[in-house]
């Protein structure tokens, strides 16, 4: 295994390092406010103000009220809580739910579990770019549809869904609309005041905050059932001692993101352009996801006639994702790319480059070289490609 | 929970595939299964494989195993191909059991090469 | 509100500050191993070894195998997962469950929710000291009993339950036995190899680890249903990106505890003795919980004729708990103390002093002075106590 | 989410209950409800309350309010007790609405004191 400093980490969509300002804020909080924010004494109240402040920071980033967030352990929990919470809460009104085939596992598997409990789930397919068409969406809605869950930015391709339009349709029909924003919050502008969204999931470690903490935005008037019980914390919707330091970290990460969202996006856009230019000259390379308009921090490419596992090893010390981003342990070709119409062969060679704040032009140049060299090497080995 | 799937030997062989390639005019065996495509080519002189090369569309374990087989058998009598032993290769290289099927493709390719040499000799 | 450095924090059973060695380990991990441990690249694998190492540390503390832990967000989640997970998994065998009235809310409220779903729960009462009798326990078990959940150390009184005996009885009857060890793990010796326990919950922030991370021990052969879905992490039983830094913190806290368990207990025993001697001379003071044999970090006392809320304010800058420890925001008299037979009047004046590693003899002396002065003051104000 | 339930005024009054106590030989009113027990005592001279004291088994808000009432009305004519205004006291001290019932116990105690003074005067 290579030493850490030789690696070239381009897997920022899986997780990001902690921002130094965030780390500093957490250190401060650890020293001054370790008490339980629910404790009825002065130390507890100080911790409570720390939590409140983080709420304000997150609310500023997403343009909403601080009182609308639940603190969770991450987007997986937020998604589970939102989706199961609404499905159960509204099950007496109907049992039809709508989502997409290209959602993250933390949405897909929740709906699968609900299917086993007798809910009826419509699984929508996107077009070849990953986009869900509004017509197809409307056609899927029924009188007994209670919940729609559509992700904001796809974790494998960076493709955006038009959640403003989809949410608007849900609102006119009285359908609860959940958005998995794990790849959007803190990374692209999100305006929860303007968006017709009832529930929005996020996780701090995707935007340079700590791992193990996330949030669920719940719009006024949206009612959900809790997933866990115990203690009166968080309006009984999510009990457990609040992780003050982590929540402060999430807040600080939100503040940091708010102040540099545009800068980050410009930086990533330039890098993605550089990467794309360098890579698309390689014969047989094709981009997975939209040709334009995708989130600039993600570039997913397949390459003809290359075996994926060997590609990954040949790419070392480049740290990139293959297969499903967040659980790369399974070597199955990505179900997301297959839903986009990619063949198994194309999907299994897919590599997701995801770029971040620390990524430099030199890193991208090195990544291009490594990728090209790996492809050339594996092609030279393959039967039928030798000269 | 997520340990390195590749032994040091596999990593070394994969990084340095000295025997990758074709032998124009040589004899070759081919086999394809389990998402693996393998070709072994040999120059045979006086019943000995003076050169052995492989081509593979395969995962790193198979590539490493193919490289090892080539360097092991190069220079040896054709009859030695019979000594190919899947279990021993897997053991030597620390290949996980899930990959047994793929290493059996290598075994089949070796057989196919042996057969091709036999055929050419008979012919 | 007083400044942080004037406070005298004696609420270590609610939460503890981070141990400096733990903080240092977390800083180290943050710098070297921020990648997702599920990622199939060198950086991911390094993170995975960090997680594995934490498992080894926790397993050493509790004398078991590292492979038996699930990482969770804390004891609340561990309890929910264990209790709901077993109840659902075994519901086809029977729907009778057994627990105690003096459990933490994170157990009580889970069973309440299961009652609403048609499970039949027996709520056992302890004796006046807080102890559950073995006879009463055996009498409550039925042929269709599937799960028993009994806490190890009570969070309000420090009372131990005899989980070895109770667990032994469960084992002979094939009943799954869950133990909420939130107040025991890292604080008192726990030998999971020796104890007949199937599931054991814990949370790092009770033993000088970070908030937001806990674990659930699952004995070999015990099967539970997951609470959340998504991704293949942790054998599909608890998905979500693993919080490497927090888990490393839990591991380091476990190692720290393992190395100083005896020292900690001796330290706390001496302090509790000092506190008890100083306080029991005050007229009308009575100890809640066992007179002897309780966990030495907790002393819970009621005092005749004193209004609890005023007592708490008069005690400032002492930070102690009243009412239910982990959710002191509610001012209801503790249900735990009422289950011990305390009157509402006694329960409402109860104060839980909980001591920790940083507590000194001088702190205890100051606490005694503050407590005595508060009682004297409030008695001097009360009608019928003036001279 | 868990803000200080006590205003600065409440904290100050609670910390310094100068008017806590009894007046031996004085007139007193008593009321008990909502888990609150309150007693107000006065020395009355020429229709004025020259001294006012309280005793309370109560939460900090009630204790602070009782202390304030004593210092407000001490030295003033008995008739001024009519001016007691629950809403205003709660407003002045920043007492949360959930505590209204308890402050009404204070109002009842003030009434009871007024009545007792009246009774003694009539008598
Ligand atoms: C789109 C999306 N949703 C949900 C998640 C789950 O987030 P977490 O693992 O922090 O719970 C991720 C990443 O892991 C993601 O990319
Ligand atoms: C006995 C007991 N169980 C469970 C918990 C819940 O732990 P957490 O809040 O870390 O989830 C606590 C403390 O809060 C506790 O004392």
């Amino acid at each position: 295994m290579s030493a850490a400093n030789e690696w070239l980490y381009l897997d920022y969509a899986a997780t990001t390092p902690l921002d130094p300002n965030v780390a500093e804020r957490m250190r401060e909080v650890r020293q001054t406010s370790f008490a339980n924010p629910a404790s009825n004494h002065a130390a507890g109240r100080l911790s409570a103000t720390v939590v409140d402040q983080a709420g304000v920071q997150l609310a500023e980033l997403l343009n909403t009220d601080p009182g609308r967030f639940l603190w969770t352990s991450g987007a997986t929990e937020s998604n589970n809580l939102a989706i199961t919470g609404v499905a159960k809460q509204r099950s007496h009104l109907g049992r039809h739910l709508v989502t997409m085939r290209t959602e993250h596992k933390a949405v897909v598997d929740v709906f699968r579990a609900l299917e086993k409990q007798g809910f009826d789930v419509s699984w929508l397919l996107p077009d070849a770019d990953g986009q869900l068409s509004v017509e197809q969406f409307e056609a899927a809605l029924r009188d007994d549809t209670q919940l729609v869950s559509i992700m904001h930015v796809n974790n494998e391709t960076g493709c955006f869904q038009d959640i403003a339009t989809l949410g608007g349709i849900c609102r006119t029909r009285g359908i609860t609309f959940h958005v998995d924003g794990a790849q959007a919050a803190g990374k692209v502008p999100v305006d929860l005041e303007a968006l017709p969204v009832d529930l929005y999931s996020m996780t701090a470690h995707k935007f340079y905050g700590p791992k193990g903490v996330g949030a669920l935005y719940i719009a006024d008037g949206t009612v959900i059932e809790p997933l866990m019980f115990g203690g009166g914390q968080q309006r009984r919707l999510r009990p457990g001692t609040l992780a003050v330091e982590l929540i402060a970290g999430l807040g600080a990460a939100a503040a940091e993101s708010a102040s540099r969202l545009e800068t980050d996006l410009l930086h990533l856009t330039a890098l993605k352009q550089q990467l794309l230019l360098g890579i698309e000259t390689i014969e047989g390379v094709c981009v997975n996801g939209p040709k334009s308009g995708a989130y600039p921090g993600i570039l997913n490419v397949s390459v003809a006639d290359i075996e994926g596992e060997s590609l990954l090893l040949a790419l070392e010390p480049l740290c990139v994702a293959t297969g499903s981003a967040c659980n790369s342990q399974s070597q199955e070709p990505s179900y997301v790319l297959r839903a986009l119409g990619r063949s198994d062969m194309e999907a299994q060679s897919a590599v997701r480059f995801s770029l971040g704040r620390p990524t430099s032009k030199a890193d991208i140049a090195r990544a291009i070289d490594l990728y090209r060299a790996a492809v050339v090497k594996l092609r030279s080995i393959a039967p039928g490609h030798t000269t | 929970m997520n340990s390195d799937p590749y032994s040091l030997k596999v990593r070394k062989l994969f990084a340095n595939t000295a025997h990758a390639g074709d032998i124009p005019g040589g004899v070759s065996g081919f086999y394809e299964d389990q998402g693996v495509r393998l070709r072994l080519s040999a120059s045979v002189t006086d019943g000995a494989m003076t050169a052995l090369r492989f081509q593979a569309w395969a995962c790193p374990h198979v590539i490493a195993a193919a490289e090892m087989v080539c360097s092991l058998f190069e220079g040896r009598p054709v009859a030695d191909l019979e000594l190919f032993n899947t279990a021993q290769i897997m053991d030597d290289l620390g290949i996980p059991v899930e990959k047994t099927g793929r290493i059996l493709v290598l075994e089949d390719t070796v057989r196919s090469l042996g057969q091709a040499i036999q055929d050419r000799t008979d012919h």
Side-chain angles (χ1 to χ4, degrees), chain A, chain B:
Chain A
M1 202 183 289
S2 331
N5 52 359
E6 282 181 34
W7 299 337
L8 173 48
Y9 185 85
L10 290 183
D11 200 9
Y12 292 92
T15 195
T16 58
L18 208 60
D19 179 279
N21 293 336
V22 173
E24 176 51 27
R25 172 66 180 146
M26 290 173 70
R27 204 189 52 75
E28 198 179 289
V29 164
R30 171 184 301 180
Q31 240 119 60
T32 62
S33 331
F34 73 90
N36 184 338
S39 288
N40 197 9
H41 48 58
R45 288 193 292 270
L46 181 62
S47 290
T49 64
V50 169
V51 170
D52 287 345
Q53 192 192 331
V56 169
Q57 291 172 313
L58 184 58
E60 273 168 10
L61 172 69
L62 304 174
N63 193 29
T64 183
D65 287 343
R68 305 237 171 100
F69 297 112
L70 290 185
W71 307 110
T72 67
S73 60
T76 298
E77 184 186 336
S78 295
N79 286 345
N80 273 268
L81 176 55
I83 296 167
T84 311
V86 170
K88 296 210 164 156
Q89 173 70 30
R90 296 179 60 129
S91 63
H92 61 289
L93 300 170
R95 298 174 77 83
H96 182 237
L97 317 169
V98 174
T99 189
M100 283 182 78
R101 285 219 181 279
T102 49
E103 292 292 314
H104 189 268
K105 286 262 183 196
V107 167
V108 169
D109 287 358
V110 184
F111 279 105
R112 289 235 181 91
L114 288 170
E115 276 184 330
K116 286 198 193 127
Q117 292 168 45
F119 286 89
D120 182 7
V121 179
S122 293
W123 297 92
L124 304 183
L125 265 179
D127 65 19
D129 280 359
Q131 210 95 43
L132 177 63
S133 85
V134 175
E135 298 70 47
Q136 204 200 332
F137 178 70
E138 284 199 283
L141 300 181
R142 307 192 322 214
D143 284 349
D144 62 339
T145 308
Q146 298 307 321
L147 169 70
V148 166
S149 180
I150 302 285
M151 76 205 307
H152 200 164
V153 171
N154 186 275
N155 51 299
E156 294 198 32
T157 63
C159 175
F160 281 85
Q161 300 303 337
D162 182 3
I163 60 169
T165 304
L166 307 179
I169 295 167
C170 289
R171 205 146 269 190
T172 57
R173 290 177 169 247
I175 298 168
T176 304
F177 186 47
H178 168 252
V179 173
D180 177 357
Q183 295 288 348
K187 303 171 84 176
V188 300
V190 177
D191 182 342
L192 292 175
E193 177 83 7
L195 285 169
V197 164
D198 300 310
L199 298 141
Y200 195 93
S201 300
M202 64 210 96
T203 189
H205 72 93
K206 304 279 187 190
F207 56 100
Y208 309 92
K211 287 182 236 317
V213 65
L216 177 63
Y217 160 85
I218 307 183
D220 239 23
T222 300
V223 184
I224 60 171
E225 280 196 12
L227 202 63
M228 296 192 246
F229 302 90
Q233 297 101 336
Q234 306 204 72
R235 296 171 272 146
R236 305 208 148 274
L237 285 172
R238 208 292 190 172
T241 304
L242 286 175
V244 191
E245 188 181 324
L246 296 180
I247 293 167
L250 194 164
E256 193 67 27
S257 281
S259 75
R260 55 184 298 163
L261 212 50
E262 288 311 311
T263 321
D264 280 353
L265 287 171
L266 287 172
H267 173 67
L268 296 174
T269 302
L271 293 177
K272 182 173 178 174
Q273 190 61 20
Q274 182 193 349
L275 181 59
L276 191 58
L277 278 174
I279 271 182
E280 66 185 359
T281 59
I282 301 169
E283 195 207 318
V285 162
C286 73
V287 172
N288 298 310
K291 297 296 158 288
S292 70
Y295 170 64
I298 292 179
L299 179 66
N300 192 317
V301 294
S302 288
V303 55
D305 271 338
I306 295 283
E307 203 272 346
E309 190 187 336
S310 282
L311 178 59
L312 199 65
L313 182 58
L315 283 172
E316 281 191 8
L318 188 57
C319 296
V320 290
T322 48
S324 175
C326 290
N327 185 22
S328 304
Q329 268 167 3
S330 97
Q331 291 285 354
E332 289 157 41
S334 151
Y335 67 90
V336 170
L337 299 185
R338 283 187 300 177
L340 266 55
R342 293 284 176 267
S343 67
D344 267 12
M345 192 58 105
E346 286 165 329
Q348 63 84 39
S349 74
V351 168
R352 180 190 68 182
F353 297 88
S354 57
L355 324 175
R357 282 183 199 154
T359 310
S360 67
K361 282 175 187 252
D363 291 336
I364 297 295
R366 191 168 157 221
I368 294 168
D369 288 348
L370 284 165
Y371 187 78
R372 184 187 308 272
V375 169
V376 166
K377 175 191 166 139
L378 292 176
R379 282 193 176 148
S380 80
I381 290 182
H385 269 279
T386 48
T387 43
Chain B
M1 54 174 279
N2 173 12
S3 52
D4 192 344
Y6 310 116
S7 66
L8 218 64
K9 277 192 187 165
V10 168
R11 288 180 165 273
K12 277 197 181 145
L13 292 162
F14 179 84
N16 190 2
T17 47
H19 293 82
D22 193 15
I23 300 180
V27 203
S28 35
F30 181 84
Y31 208 85
E32 173 163 13
D33 194 15
Q34 310 245 357
V36 170
R37 275 186 294 142
L38 261 178
R39 200 175 136 102
L40 284 170
S41 309
S43 332
V44 182
T45 312
D46 296 337
M49 300 172 289
T50 51
L52 260 176
R53 292 289 177 273
F54 77 93
Q55 292 179 309
W57 193 100
C59 72
H61 290 115
V62 172
I63 290 176
E67 170 63 28
M68 187 166 88
V69 162
C70 288
S71 64
L72 266 181
F73 289 101
E74 201 169 53
R76 289 168 56 183
V78 173
D80 280 9
L81 287 179
E82 297 291 325
L83 302 173
F84 181 94
N85 182 328
T86 293
Q88 179 164 359
I89 289 213
M90 292 183 67
D91 200 49
D92 271 11
L93 295 182
I95 296 177
V97 279
E98 323 68 284
K99 296 254 174 135
T100 312
R102 300 196 192 172
I103 303 300
L104 289 172
V105 176
L106 177 57
E107 182 173 330
D108 286 326
T109 316
V110 169
R111 287 240 179 78
S112 158
L113 174 65
Q115 191 61 50
I117 297 175
Q118 177 94 43
D119 288 354
R120 170 150 336 173
T121 315
D122 295 353
H123 173 87

